[in-house]
């Protein structure tokens, strides 16, 4: 459904000068540098997949999505979605996709939300029967009733996102692109958006690509994750593989009855010690049972627990570039 | 066209929520226009015309361009550099591009500066008055040619707005430079060419063809001889000049869109 090969997008960054002579010189001799916002990315996505596109701010997520939706012309590389080259046949192509860019709205600012939806009906030429049945369904799923008559400018962030999701789906797109759909929302609102996205993917078989820098989005929604930073694709695969590949060490946290002496474990290292609590780190493969029995043999233990590395921490480690070469 | 109507109506319904500020807007721009014209008329009545042009003849020249420019300015508001810069910065242009509809229709439909209505009405008023008081204009073939001249001017100014919008694609900030050509050109066209020095006149006849759009057609309508002795078909170049300008602008616009870079986020 989506095929991307060696996709690049470079931005020319012009250096601005205060001094007007420098401006003139600038004009004559171009003083600019190239920013590789998306740098040689390849992937393909099947129909019905739900893919999380992860990366910190400025990683190149939005730029990728803008190319996929036909807003930007790639600097180089091949791009085909649903049989179209997005930027070449824009009008035909965008009729088949839906897109929500989280910090922007597709609604008319001063019009009641329902009127925005009706305008979109004209633009997308949605048959009236289809329009009403979709509206009924989204009203229920997204609780739109409370604000359908209010203008977009008066909606809360969460309401606006719900309205925008509805607007992007009224014409039954085959693919839905979501750029940071949960940005700025509180936990409850985030959860609600996630449930809705999941339902759309399952019930309608809509292919969904969502960018986020919130790990929880991907954890809850996606079986497949792609990770990008500095324009490069660092990882593409199942979320669990990400864990295994970069997951690093697990932790054992032990509360002793009395300050331990001569504490030593074969396959674990002490990473912190505070009063009676000691934290060990150990490799993924090491069996916890062996560590515990070794400990209980020599010491009195009040309590202990094992911590899986948080996915969040894993991601952070990847972002920081430490694991990239691994 | 249906879509254009829907979008405009939506725009108006939205604007109607700010009725008071809208009315104030119309009032203030009308007031400015009236003052402008008052000053203009005062000067000319004192001099008893200028370069062989009587006041009503100058009103013809002035009213014609005021009306054509006012109407174009109103319709092309979406392309006007400040408005278009907002479209780029706020991402509305992205939203337009994401919809399966003609981009230019969407931009046309995105805003209509109704506050220009004062200018247009005044333009019509002055022009109407001038037509009534210039009997030379009352000929069928002249009245028949009139819409072509108006459309020519509309296309010319529309083209300029389009060029301004296209430049904004690169600068992102709104550019004042284009005002020199739009508003400046309109001012220029409001006066008989005879008051300008020769080199300005040549510049505005052949390089920026504003004289072709208003001055020469006015000579024809008013039955005045051309003081500069150019060929007799000069008055009939107006629609062509406007059309060519718009076509060039359209090409430039299409070129610019290919280089659109969107903005952050
Ligand atoms: N229109 C643009 N012009 C210049 N640089 C841009 C433009 N859009 C994005 N960038 C730069 O490209 C990089 C990637 O941006 P983006 O794709 O928006 O990141 P993300 O969405 O992952 O936060 C950033 O460094 C950003 O500053
Ligand atoms: Mg982004």
């Amino acid at each position: 459904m989506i095929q991307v090969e060696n996709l690049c997008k470079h931005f020319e960054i012009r250096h601005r000068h205060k001094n007007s002579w420098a401006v003139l010189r600038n004009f004559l001799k171009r003083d600019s540098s190239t920013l590789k916002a998306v740098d040689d990315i390849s992937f393909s996505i099947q129909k019905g997949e739900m893919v999380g596109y992860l990366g910190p701010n400025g990683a190149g997520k939005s730029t990728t999505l803008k190319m996929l939706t036909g807003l930007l012309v790639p600097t180089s590389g091949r791009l085909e979605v649903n049989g179209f080259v997005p930027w070449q046949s824009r009008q035909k192509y965008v009729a088949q996709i839906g897109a929500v860019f989280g910090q922007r709205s597709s609604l008319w600012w001063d019009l009641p939300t329902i009127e925005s939806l009706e305008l979109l009906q004209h633009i997308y030429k949605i048959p009236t029967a289809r329009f009403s049945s979709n509206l009924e369904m989204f009203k229920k799923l997204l609780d739109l009733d409370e604000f359908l008559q209010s203008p977009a400018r008066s909606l809360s962030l969460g309401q606006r996102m719900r309205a925008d999701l509805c607007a992007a789906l009224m014409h039954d797109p085959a693919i839905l692109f979501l750029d940071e759909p949960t940005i700025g929302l509180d936990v409850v609102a985030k959860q609600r958006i996630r449930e809705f996205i999941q339902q759309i993917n399952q019930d309608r078989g809509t292919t969904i690509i969502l960018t986020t820098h919130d790990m929880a989005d991907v954890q809850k929604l996606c079986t497949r994750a792609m990770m990008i930073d500095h324009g490069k694709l660092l990882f593409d695969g199942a979320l669990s593989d990400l864990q295994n590949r970069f997951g690093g060490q697990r932790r054992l946290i032990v509360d002793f009855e009395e300050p331990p002496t001569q504490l030593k474990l074969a396959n674990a290292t002490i990473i912190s010690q505070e009063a009676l609590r000691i934290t060990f780190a150990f490799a993924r493969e090491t069996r916890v049972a062996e560590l515990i029995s070794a400990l209980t043999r020599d010491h009195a233990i009040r309590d202990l627990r094992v911590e899986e590395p948080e996915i969040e921490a894993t991601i952070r480690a990847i972002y920081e570039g430490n694991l990239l070469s691994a | 066209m249906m879509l254009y109507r829907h979008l405009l109506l939506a725009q108006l319904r939205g604007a109607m929520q700010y009725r008071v500020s809208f009315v104030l807007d119309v009032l203030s721009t009308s007031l400015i226009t009236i003052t402008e014209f008052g000053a203009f008329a005062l000067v000319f009545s004192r001099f008893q015309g200028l370069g062989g042009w009587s006041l009503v003849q100058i009103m013809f020249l002035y009213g014609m361009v005021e009306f054509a420019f006012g109407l174009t300015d109103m319709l092309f508001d979406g392309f006007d550099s400040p408005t278009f810069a907002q479209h780029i910065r706020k991402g509305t242009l992205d939203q337009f591009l994401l919809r399966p509809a003609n981009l230019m229709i969407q931009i046309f439909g995105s805003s209509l500066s109704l506050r220009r209505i004062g200018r247009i009405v005044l333009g019509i008023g002055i022009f109407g008055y001038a037509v009534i008081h210039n009997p030379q204009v009352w000929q069928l073939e002249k009245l028949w040619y009139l819409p072509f001249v108006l459309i020519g001017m509309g296309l010319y100014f529309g083209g300029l707005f389009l060029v301004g919008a296209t430049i904004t694609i690169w600068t992102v900030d709104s550019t004042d430079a284009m005002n020199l050509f739009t508003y400046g050109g309109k001012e220029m066209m409001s006066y008989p060419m005879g008051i300008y020095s020769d080199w300005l006149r040549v510049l505005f006849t052949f390089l920026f063809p504003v004289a072709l759009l208003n001055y020469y057609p006015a000579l024809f309508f008013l039955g005045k001889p051309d003081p500069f002795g150019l060929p007799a078909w000069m008055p009939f170049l107006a629609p062509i000049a406007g059309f060519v300008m718009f076509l060039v602008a359209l090409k430039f616009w299409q070129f610019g869109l290919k280089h659109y870079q969107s903005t952050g986020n």
Side-chain angles (χ1 to χ4, degrees):
Chain A
M1 183 142 242
I2 298 180
Q3 229 120 75
V4 173
E5 280 166 32
N6 309 109
L7 190 67
C8 293
K9 180 74 198 180
H10 299 172
F11 290 115
E12 288 281 309
I13 306 292
R14 255 169 290 154
H15 301 286
R16 285 173 193 267
H17 296 275
K18 300 259 153 53
N19 178 319
S20 59
W21 276 113
V23 171
L24 193 68
R25 206 175 52 222
N26 231 356
F27 192 73
L28 300 171
K29 183 173 122 319
R30 283 206 128 180
D31 179 16
S32 64
S33 57
T34 307
L35 180 99
K36 296 180 176 175
V38 170
D39 190 8
D40 195 17
I41 282 182
S42 306
F43 59 83
S44 71
I45 292 173
Q46 304 304 311
K47 188 170 164 33
E49 270 194 278
M50 171 124 77
V51 180
Y53 201 60
L54 268 169
N57 273 326
K61 304 183 295 294
S62 299
T63 305
T64 311
L65 233 55
K66 282 176 184 171
M67 286 191 280
L68 288 172
T69 50
L71 295 180
L72 289 179
V73 183
T75 307
S76 65
R78 227 176 61 81
L79 175 61
E80 196 181 302
V81 188
N82 215 7
F84 290 96
V85 177
W87 56 275
Q88 277 176 356
S89 32
R90 182 188 72 80
Q91 248 172 277
K92 270 199 210 119
Y93 170 67
V94 293
Q96 313 183 356
I97 63 165
V100 178
F101 285 85
Q103 285 147 331
R104 311 239 158 115
S105 179
S106 63
L107 305 169
W108 278 257
W109 204 236
D110 292 319
L111 290 186
T113 308
I114 181 73
E115 288 191 30
S116 283
L117 296 177
E118 284 162 2
L119 276 170
L120 290 173
Q121 183 189 358
H122 285 293
I123 293 175
Y124 284 92
K125 305 195 175 75
I126 307 169
T128 306
R130 191 74 210 146
F131 181 82
S132 331
S133 70
N134 271 346
L135 186 60
E136 273 315 304
M137 183 180 139
F138 294 137
K139 258 200 231 172
K140 232 181 290 149
L141 287 178
L142 291 165
D143 254 328
L144 300 179
D145 271 320
E146 47 174 311
F147 55 82
L148 264 186
Q149 303 303 330
S150 324
R153 70 182 134 81
S154 70
L155 303 188
S156 74
L157 209 55
Q159 290 175 329
R160 219 216 63 218
M161 180 48 69
R162 271 141 70 198
D164 260 315
L165 278 171
C166 171
L169 286 164
M170 289 303 285
H171 58 288
D172 300 316
I175 310 171
L176 181 62
F177 296 95
L178 302 172
D179 192 18
E180 310 258 6
T182 59
I183 196 164
L185 302 183
D186 62 53
V187 186
V188 181
K190 271 185 185 175
Q191 192 48 35
R192 170 174 219 159
I193 299 284
R194 285 180 194 134
E195 276 164 16
F196 176 75
I197 294 173
Q198 192 147 44
Q199 193 153 14
I200 291 298
N201 174 250
Q202 279 166 5
D203 296 356
R204 309 190 143 203
T206 310
T207 310
I208 299 180
I209 296 156
L210 67 99
T211 78
T212 181
H213 61 254
D214 184 347
M215 253 329 281
D217 283 346
V218 179
Q219 233 167 335
K220 300 221 165 88
L221 283 174
C222 307
T223 44
R224 176 175 170 192
M226 286 196 269
M227 187 170 309
I228 182 178
D229 196 13
H230 298 296
K232 290 214 175 281
L233 197 61
L234 304 183
F235 175 85
D236 179 3
L239 205 55
S240 49
D241 285 346
L242 183 73
Q243 189 89 317
N244 288 338
R245 183 161 155 208
F246 299 114
Q249 300 184 310
R250 291 191 284 175
R251 281 171 190 190
L252 180 64
I253 299 162
V254 188
D255 288 338
F256 292 90
E257 292 285 4
E258 53 200 48
T261 49
Q262 293 204 326
L263 191 59
K264 218 163 172 209
L265 275 178
N267 292 314
T269 51
I270 297 175
I271 57 173
S272 81
Q273 175 162 16
E274 41 182 288
L276 294 174
R277 170 170 294 183
I278 291 179
T279 306
F280 300 91
F282 59 97
R284 273 196 102 52
E285 313 75 68
T286 307
R287 290 177 52 194
V288 190
E290 283 171 12
L291 294 178
I292 295 175
S293 64
L295 272 175
T296 43
R297 206 163 43 233
D298 303 328
H299 306 278
I301 287 171
R302 190 189 314 161
D303 196 8
L304 55 76
R305 81 192 130 95
V306 178
E307 264 183 9
E308 284 291 325
E310 279 179 40
I311 253 193
E312 203 108 15
T314 312
I315 302 289
R316 207 170 309 126
I318 298 174
Y319 285 171
E320 282 158 10
N322 308 328
L323 295 167
L324 181 55
S325 46
Chain B
M1 263 303 129
M2 273 291 276
L3 178 62
Y4 178 58
R5 224 190 58 213
H6 278 298
L7 290 174
L8 268 194
L9 285 177
Q11 199 57 39
L12 293 187
R13 271 192 312 247
M16 279 309 134
Q17 303 197 351
Y18 309 96
R19 230 166 280 144
V20 177
S21 89
F22 170 72
V23 170
L24 286 179
D25 240 17
V26 173
L27 280 183
S28 65
T29 40
S30 305
L31 215 63
I32 290 171
T33 316
I34 291 171
T35 325
E36 257 178 42
F37 179 70
F40 173 85
L42 211 67
V43 170
F44 277 96
S45 60
R46 286 291 294 266
F47 285 100
Q48 276 308 314
L50 192 71
W53 286 63
S54 69
L55 183 60
V56 282
Q57 286 177 331
I58 288 174
M59 281 173 76
F60 185 89
L61 199 62
Y62 184 95
M64 188 154 72
V65 68
E66 189 73 27
F67 168 61
F69 181 76
L71 195 63
T72 316
D73 198 10
M74 178 166 92
L75 295 176
F76 278 76
D77 190 42
F79 292 94
D80 194 17
S81 197
T83 323
F84 193 73
Q86 287 295 316
H87 283 328
I88 293 180
R89 238 179 284 150
K90 288 193 183 150
T92 10
L93 185 61
D94 285 352
Q95 294 301 336
F96 295 157
L97 287 167
L98 284 172
R99 292 180 190 142
N102 182 283
L103 180 63
M104 284 183 74
I105 289 184
Q106 291 190 72
I107 297 174
F108 273 121
S110 70
S111 54
L112 182 75
S113 66
L114 271 184
R115 65 207 144 82
R116 303 266 181 254
I117 272 191
R119 270 208 120 88
I120 298 169
V121 170
L122 196 76
I124 293 176
I126 294 171
F127 188 58
Y129 182 86
V131 170
I132 293 169
H133 288 84
N134 284 298
Q136 304 89 331
V137 185
W138 309 344
Q139 288 173 25
L140 203 59
E141 75 268 18
K142 286 186 181 172
L143 293 178
W144 199 80
Y145 182 52
L146 186 61
F148 286 91
V149 174
L150 291 174
I151 289 171
M153 276 197 266
L155 287 175
Y156 177 80
F157 286 122
L160 285 180
F161 281 117
L162 204 55
V163 170
T166 309
I167 292 173
T168 313
I169 291 177
W170 281 282
T171 60
V172 180
D173 280 321
S174 100
T175 46
D176 292 332
M178 279 315 287
N179 290 350
L180 191 68
F181 294 96
T182 50
Y183 294 93
K186 190 216 91 188
E187 283 307 313
M188 189 93 199
M189 284 157 82
S190 305
Y191 301 93
M193 285 293 133
I195 69 168
Y196 301 116
S197 59
D198 280 346
W199 67 271
L200 265 182
R201 190 172 50 76
V202 169
L203 191 70
F204 286 104
T205 308
F206 299 106
L207 196 58
F208 305 103
V210 292
L212 297 184
L213 290 159
N214 195 28
Y215 178 69
Y216 278 100
L219 288 180
F220 167 69
F221 289 124
L222 299 172
K224 292 173 79 73
D226 178 7
F228 313 111
L230 289 172
W233 40 261
M234 287 299 278
F236 304 105
L237 292 179
I240 300 168
F243 187 73
V244 169
M245 173 71 207
F246 195 75
L247 213 64
V248 171
L250 206 60
K251 285 280 164 237
F252 183 49
W253 163 254
Q254 282 159 354
F255 169 78
L257 276 184
K258 286 223 175 65
H259 294 259
Y260 173 57
Q261 298 282 268
S262 185
T263 46
N265 290 310

